[in-house]
């Protein structure tokens, strides 16, 4: 009796780059038809929907699982619609062949069950790979040329913008790759203004999250994720918001080293700016400042936590403060001391006795309180203190002399400075051209370059000073200072207080202190107003 021939076990593999159930369905239908015509037994199906043919099939993909099953000899043949469904390189085909799995395509292009089929598959795959590499090289060269003209390549779109497709650009007759997302663009402007106004990164992130904002959607996070100090910092460092495009694209999919990108490393981008170049430079310079705290620390939930300092043990020691003021000024009569000198002495004495930033507590129990950072010198209710400081700030900013004393009105002309900056940068480039063409010697080039660079540094410094948003500017001169104050975020309020005063907090002593009049409250604090 002739033994029964072993039926060939087949696996079906289907793949497409863009998720589309209809496309996968057609591939499966063709594969099943071939299996039936060849009397193959279909033992399993492997589907990679939304997986590019240019990328390796990492762990977790259907191809990786199929390759493991091929090595385990769970099937003999892999049926695929076309060879390019396996991938754009020879590696996928070689991996299956090494695992002793033969590949058959439904279009008849490849049949590795025969010697001629294996030879033809190698030739076809090699040709496909050469074409793919040639296209990739052309694409890189084309993108490099477009980049020089300020047109970015596709990729993750910065928060505040929308990507304009090639088709849309053709219809509009423009090369602008981005258009403004008005709501998110307003968020970006707010981030720059808040940071340049003194609001910490953590507070900016907290305010955004409280307002229900999220970062740009991604495939992994379709709704975006909450903002963090790190994501806010990346935005402030991003030259795209000033419509600047780095000349060199990051290699191998890496991210830019934003701290090393300067104006001279960029070309003007063909899309609308959200902030000025001066604002971006000012934010970047502030972030790079060596004295700036790099740790975001805790996100503050209360007005004075981390801002005010502890005055030391016990109630305010007026005698010791007065003595310190006399010693510091060299005077002998306490009546001659000014309030500012007394306040400076109070701060100095507080820093000697403790000086730790105060911390908040009790919020989770509904009792907002402040205490010394060391937990040793005082604890008092927070709301009465916050309300008193608020009344103090509002009164100071509503005073008739507030505009003269608190706000520098000598602001540089940003438009004129920007024009001068453009002119000087052009002069600098022309100097280099004259040197390269032999029109000027090395010594003359160095002399002129030094002079131009000095002027450039001066203009950029003026622009940066003008870009810094004073935290008091929106408040001083307002018709209703309290209404403007109440509309500010917590981070902005804290920035105003930090710019306006140094607060020393002392113990209130024993007894019921819930309803202290302002005069009594003032006796438990020392306020040093900043000039």
């Amino acid at each position: 009796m002739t033994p029964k021939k072993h039926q060939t076990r087949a696996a079906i593999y289907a793949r497409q780059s863009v998720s589309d159930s209809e496309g996968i369905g057609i591939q499966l239908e063709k594969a099943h038809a071939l299996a039936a015509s060849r009397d193959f037994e279909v033992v399993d199906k492997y589907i990679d929907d939304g997986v590019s043919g240019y990328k390796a099939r990492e762990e977790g993909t259907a191809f990786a699982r199929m390759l493991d099953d091929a090595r385990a000899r769970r099937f003999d043949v892999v049926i695929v619609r076309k060879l390019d469904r396996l991938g754009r390189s020879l590696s996928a085909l070689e991996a299956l062949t090494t695992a002793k799995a033969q590949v058959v395509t439904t279009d008849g292009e490849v049949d590795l069950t025969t010697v001629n089929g294996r030879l033809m598959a190698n030739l076809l795959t090699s040709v496909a790979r050469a074409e793919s590499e040639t296209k990739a090289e052309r694409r890189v060269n084309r993108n490099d040329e477009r980049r020089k003209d300020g047109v970015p390549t596709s990729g993750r779109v910065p928060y505040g913008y929308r990507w304009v497709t090639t088709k849309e650009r053709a219809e509009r007759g423009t090369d602008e790759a981005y258009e403004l997302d008005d709501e998110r663009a307003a968020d970006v402007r707010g981030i720059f203004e808040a940071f340049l106004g003194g609001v910490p990164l953590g507070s900016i992130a907290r305010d955004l999250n409280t307002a229900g904002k999220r970062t740009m959607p991604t495939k992994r996070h379709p709704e975006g994720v909450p903002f963090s100090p790190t994501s806010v910092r990346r935005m402030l460092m991003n030259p795209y918001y000033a419509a600047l495009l780095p000349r060199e694209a990051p290699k191998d999919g890496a991210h830019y080293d934003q701290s090393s990108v300067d104006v001279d490393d960029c070309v003007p981008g063909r899309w609308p700016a959200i902030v000025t170049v001066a604002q971006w430079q000012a934010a970047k310079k502030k972030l790079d400042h060596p004295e700036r705290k790099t740790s975001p620390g805790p996100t503050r939930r209360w007005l004075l936590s981390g801002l005010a300092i502890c005055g030391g043990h016990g109630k305010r020691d007026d005698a010791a403060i007065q003595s310190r003021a006399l010693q510091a000024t060299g005077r002998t009569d306490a009546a001659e001391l000014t309030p500012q000198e007394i306040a400076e002495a109070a701060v100095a004495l507080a820093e000697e006795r403790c000086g730790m930033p105060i911390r908040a507590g009790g919020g989770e129990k509904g009792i907002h309180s402040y205490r010394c950072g060391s937990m040793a010198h005082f604890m008092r209710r927070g709301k009465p203190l916050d309300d008193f400081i608020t009344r103090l700030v509002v009164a100071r900013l509503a005073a008739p002399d507030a505009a003269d004393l608190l706000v520098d009105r000598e602001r540089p002309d940003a438009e004129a400075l920007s024009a001068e900056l453009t002119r000087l940068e052009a002069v600098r480039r022309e100097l280099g051209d004259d040197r390269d063409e032999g029109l000027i010697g090395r010594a003359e080039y160095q002399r002129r370059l030094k002079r131009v660079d000095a002027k450039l540094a001066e203009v950029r410094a003026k622009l940066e000073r003008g870009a810094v948003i004073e935290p008091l500017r929106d408040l001083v001169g307002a018709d209703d200072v309290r209404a403007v104050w109440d509309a500010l975020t917590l981070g902005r309020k804290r920035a105003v207080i930090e710019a306006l005063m140094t607060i020393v907090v002392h113990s209130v002593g024993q007894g019921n202190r819930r309803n202290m009049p302002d005069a009594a409250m003032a006796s438990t604090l020392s306020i040093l107003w900043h000039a």
Side-chain angles (χ1 to χ4, degrees):
M1 177 182 291
T2 304
K4 185 177 181 180
K5 185 178 179 181
H6 171 70
Q7 189 174 18
T8 301
R9 298 165 303 166
I12 295 175
Y13 179 71
R15 182 199 63 78
Q16 61 186 358
S17 300
V18 180
S19 181
D20 180 2
S21 58
E22 183 178 353
I24 290 292
I26 292 173
Q27 294 182 48
L28 294 177
E29 181 183 344
K30 297 288 186 181
H32 277 293
L34 185 141
S37 68
R38 301 279 291 270
D39 196 26
F40 291 164
E41 178 190 5
V42 177
V43 297
D44 210 340
K45 291 180 291 187
Y46 304 87
I47 299 172
D48 276 326
D49 197 6
V51 176
S52 172
Y54 290 99
K55 294 184 179 179
R57 306 305 134 71
E58 295 117 359
E59 185 178 352
T61 63
F63 184 89
R65 183 166 59 87
M66 180 177 69
L67 190 57
D68 287 341
D69 289 349
R71 290 168 180 149
R73 304 290 191 272
R74 295 198 175 113
F75 49 79
D76 309 304
V77 173
V78 174
I79 303 174
V80 64
R81 177 75 180 91
K82 297 177 67 176
L83 189 59
D84 63 5
R85 295 303 89 196
L86 287 178
R88 304 295 185 177
S89 70
L90 193 61
S91 58
L93 183 63
E94 289 175 340
L96 287 170
T97 303
T98 302
K100 306 299 182 184
Q102 306 300 326
V103 177
V104 178
T105 62
T106 63
D107 63 357
E109 187 179 38
V110 173
D111 186 351
L112 296 191
T113 59
T114 67
V115 174
N116 288 337
R118 287 191 288 273
L119 175 61
M120 183 61 65
N122 285 335
L123 290 173
L124 290 172
T125 306
S126 297
V127 170
R129 180 170 56 183
E131 290 179 352
S132 176
E133 290 174 353
T134 300
K135 288 180 181 179
E137 185 177 350
R138 289 172 182 167
R139 185 169 59 251
V140 169
N141 292 336
R142 185 169 63 251
N143 287 340
D144 286 345
E145 289 301 317
R146 290 167 62 80
R147 194 174 197 86
K148 292 176 183 178
D149 292 333
V151 180
T153 54
S154 60
R156 191 167 182 178
V157 180
Y159 186 94
Y161 289 108
R162 295 191 190 93
W163 176 254
V164 181
T165 65
T166 304
K167 181 180 178 182
E168 289 175 320
R169 281 179 245 170
E171 292 172 351
R172 299 176 186 180
T174 178
D175 280 335
E176 287 192 358
Y178 300 130
E179 64 181 6
L180 292 180
D181 178 335
D182 292 336
E183 183 178 343
R184 287 176 171 151
D187 294 338
V188 174
R189 293 187 193 98
I191 289 170
F192 274 84
E193 290 177 1
F195 180 70
L196 294 175
V199 182
L201 299 180
S203 294
I204 295 173
R206 181 185 180 87
D207 292 339
L208 287 166
N209 295 332
T210 300
K213 306 294 184 179
R214 292 296 182 266
T215 61
M216 291 291 280
T218 63
K219 187 175 182 180
R220 185 177 180 184
H221 302 287
E223 302 300 322
V225 297
F227 283 89
S228 67
T230 301
S231 59
V232 172
R233 186 182 191 278
R234 283 200 300 266
M235 292 175 70
L236 290 165
M237 296 282 279
N238 193 343
Y240 279 53
Y241 291 122
L244 294 174
L245 178 65
R247 286 188 175 88
E248 298 293 331
K251 303 300 182 184
D252 302 324
H255 293 291
Y256 286 109
D257 177 11
Q258 292 178 319
S259 61
S260 66
V261 177
D262 203 352
V263 174
D264 294 336
D265 303 317
C266 300
V267 297
R270 292 196 182 184
W271 64 85
I274 295 178
V275 299
T276 66
V277 173
Q279 283 178 303
W280 171 69
Q281 286 181 305
K284 187 172 181 296
K285 185 175 182 180
K286 187 174 180 180
L287 287 166
D288 288 338
H289 198 284
E291 295 181 5
R292 182 180 173 274
K293 294 179 181 179
T294 55
S295 172
T299 301
R300 305 298 182 181
R301 297 177 54 197
W302 306 104
L303 190 64
L304 301 180
S305 55
L307 282 184
I309 63 174
C310 173
H313 54 278
K315 299 172 67 176
R316 190 174 74 184
D317 191 343
D318 289 328
I321 293 172
Q322 188 179 86
S323 175
R324 171 57 64 88
L326 290 172
Q327 180 183 358
T329 60
R331 295 195 177 94
T332 57
D333 186 356
E336 297 178 354
L337 293 171
T338 66
Q340 185 77 356
E341 290 168 343
I342 294 173
E344 289 172 354
V347 172
L349 188 64
E351 289 174 344
E352 277 186 13
R353 293 184 171 181
C354 179
M356 292 190 67
I358 67 172
R359 56 191 295 184
E364 67 280 358
K365 298 180 180 179
I367 306 173
H368 166 36
S369 64
Y370 289 120
R371 62 191 70 190
C372 167
S374 69
M375 307 291 286
H377 295 138
F378 78 86
M379 183 175 72
R380 56 190 293 179
R381 290 181 176 273
K383 189 175 186 307
L385 185 53
D386 288 349
D387 291 345
F388 176 75
I389 293 298
T390 293
R391 291 194 295 274
L392 210 60
V393 169
V394 170
R396 184 69 189 92
L397 296 178
D401 64 347
D404 295 331
L405 294 177
L406 300 176
V407 179
D408 175 16
R409 297 202 175 275
E410 292 299 322
R411 309 292 286 179
D413 185 340
E415 186 174 346
L417 287 173
S418 296
E420 177 64 6
L421 183 65
T422 301
R423 187 189 71 81
L424 289 171
E425 288 172 343
V427 170
R428 196 180 193 279
R429 288 193 297 271
E430 290 171 4
L431 275 176
D433 293 341
D434 289 348
R435 177 202 57 190
D436 294 341
E437 294 174 9
L439 299 178
I440 56 175
R442 177 181 175 82
E444 180 66 10
Y445 168 74
Q446 293 292 346
R447 185 182 68 80
R448 293 189 189 180
L449 182 66
K450 184 176 181 180
R451 187 171 59 193
V452 171
D453 281 348
K455 290 181 179 179
L456 276 169
E458 180 183 351
V459 171
R460 284 171 177 165
K462 288 180 179 178
L463 274 169
E464 287 171 7
R465 286 198 299 271
V468 175
I469 308 300
E470 295 170 0
L472 308 178
R473 181 167 292 278
D474 292 338
L475 289 156
V476 174
D479 293 335
D480 189 341
V481 174
R482 182 56 191 259
V484 177
W485 171 267
D486 289 341
L488 295 179
T489 64
L490 177 63
R492 292 257 186 160
K493 290 176 181 177
R494 287 170 54 84
V496 170
I497 291 174
E498 189 172 21
L500 205 57
M501 63 176 78
T502 296
I503 305 168
V504 179
V505 183
H506 305 277
S507 171
V508 297
Q510 300 297 319
N512 184 357
R513 304 291 182 177
R514 293 191 179 187
N515 299 306
M516 295 176 65
D518 282 359
M521 180 68 76
S523 69
T524 70
L525 305 170
S526 296
I527 306 293
L528 173 62
W529 294 97
H530 298 166

